[in-house]
Every structure is written in structure tokens, then in C-alpha cells.
Amino acid sequence: MKSLLPALLVLLVAALATPATAQSYEDQMRQAASAYERKDMATAVRIWKVWAAKGEAEAQTLLGAMYWSGDGVPRNLNEAARLYLAAAKQGYARAQNNIGFMLGFGEGVPPRDDIEAYKWIKLAIDGYTAKNQDRLDQARKDLATLSARMNPAQIAEAERRVRAWKPVPKVR
């Protein structure tokens, strides 16, 4: 027993002295956001690509925004739309808003589709919280613009799709 105690102490000290190499999702998302703010786009893209590939909606949306704007990656509206749609299907309001905007205003996903755009923007409006007031206000304006150019049958179909919509699990 006496010889076991020093061995256990050595193992405990070694375990405590070894740095944790696996950061949590939240830690890595904060690291990527910080890198983005510092204009270290390579680090932000690297981290968000890993988590986007694992189906994390927030990472998909942030990476999609980089493809939409061309920050740190070549501008690719089709890739932005693909990432937004994957996150939107999970119920992530910002992605729903972004894919709705792209569909309704002809950004990278031809042809324009007012019914699907209305659905996604309406779902985003329903999903935004008070901390997203600016986005919520803009989404309401975008929905009003869409509604003004849609006929009653199109609006009814869009509302039916909103009611029928169910989130899907992460897509990996």
C-alpha cells in the first residue's frame, strides 16, 4: 500500500500538469469570434469549418456569413446558402432569416422563391429573442416587403408551410 500511494501521487500531478488540449465548443466559438474581430480570418474559418461540419448551427451560420461577404474565404453565395439552409432547418433564427433574405431577394439561390423566403423569415421572426431586436426589426421589414408583392394564395401557402415546419436534428 505504501508503494501505491507515491505512484498515485505521481499520476495525479502528471494529470494536473498536462494542459487540456480539447477545448469545449463554447471555448472554441469564443476563440473564433475573437479571431474574427481581430481580422484573423484564417483562425475563424478553421474553427467554424470544423464545427459546421459537425452540424453546429451557429458555426454553419457564421461560416455562411463569411462566404456571403467574402471575409477570409472566396465569396461563394451558393456555399453561404447551403450553410444557412442547414442551420435554418435546425431552427437557428439568424440562419432562417439569412436564407429567407437570399431566397426573397435573389442572393445566390436562383430562382427567387417568395413563398419559401416568407416561410424562413417568418420562422426567424418567431425565433428571435429580445437581444436580437435589430435583426427582428429588419426581418419584419423584409417580411412586409415580401408580403406586398405576394398574392393572398401565396401568403396562405407560406403560412401553411410555417405551421407545418419542424426542426431537424443536426446534419453531419
Side-chain angles (χ1 to χ4, degrees):
M1 189 65 148
K2 279 187 174 183
S3 62
L4 186 59
L5 187 58
L8 287 175
L9 282 174
V10 168
L11 285 174
L12 180 62
V13 168
L16 292 174
T18 304
T21 56
Q23 290 180 308
S24 72
Y25 168 73
E26 292 80 12
D27 289 341
Q28 287 194 9
M29 291 299 287
R30 277 191 292 276
Q31 180 184 357
S34 176
Y36 184 87
E37 288 176 14
R38 290 189 319 271
K39 306 290 187 219
D40 178 2
M41 300 305 177
T43 298
V45 167
R46 180 180 48 77
I47 293 169
W48 286 333
K49 275 186 175 182
V50 167
W51 290 105
K54 292 179 181 184
E56 293 294 340
E58 183 181 13
Q60 290 169 329
T61 303
L62 294 168
L63 184 59
M66 293 183 81
Y67 278 107
W68 187 84
S69 64
D71 282 343
V73 293
R75 189 164 196 238
N76 184 334
L77 297 179
N78 289 328
E79 183 63 6
R82 184 189 70 77
L83 289 162
Y84 288 155
L85 187 57
K89 287 178 177 180
Q90 293 179 60
Y92 196 72
R94 182 173 172 189
Q96 291 171 330
N97 189 62
N98 292 354
I99 193 63
F101 180 84
M102 291 182 82
L103 286 164
F105 300 97
E107 288 280 335
V109 281
R112 196 176 79 197
D113 186 337
D114 289 347
I115 294 171
E116 276 296 293
Y118 182 108
K119 176 189 88 175
W120 288 119
I121 292 173
K122 179 74 164 79
L123 288 167
I125 289 168
D126 294 345
Y128 276 137
T129 62
K131 74 177 190 170
N132 305 112
Q133 193 62 49
D134 290 344
R135 287 194 181 116
L136 177 59
D137 292 343
Q138 186 60 54
R140 287 180 174 146
K141 289 176 188 173
D142 292 343
L143 190 64
T145 299
L146 282 170
S147 297
R149 68 182 189 215
M150 295 170 70
N151 65 45
Q154 290 173 312
I155 293 172
E157 174 59 19
E159 286 290 342
R160 185 197 65 73
R161 291 180 190 184
V162 169
R163 289 188 305 276
W165 182 81
K166 302 275 186 270
V168 296
K170 289 184 215 176
V171 179
R172 294 184 186 206

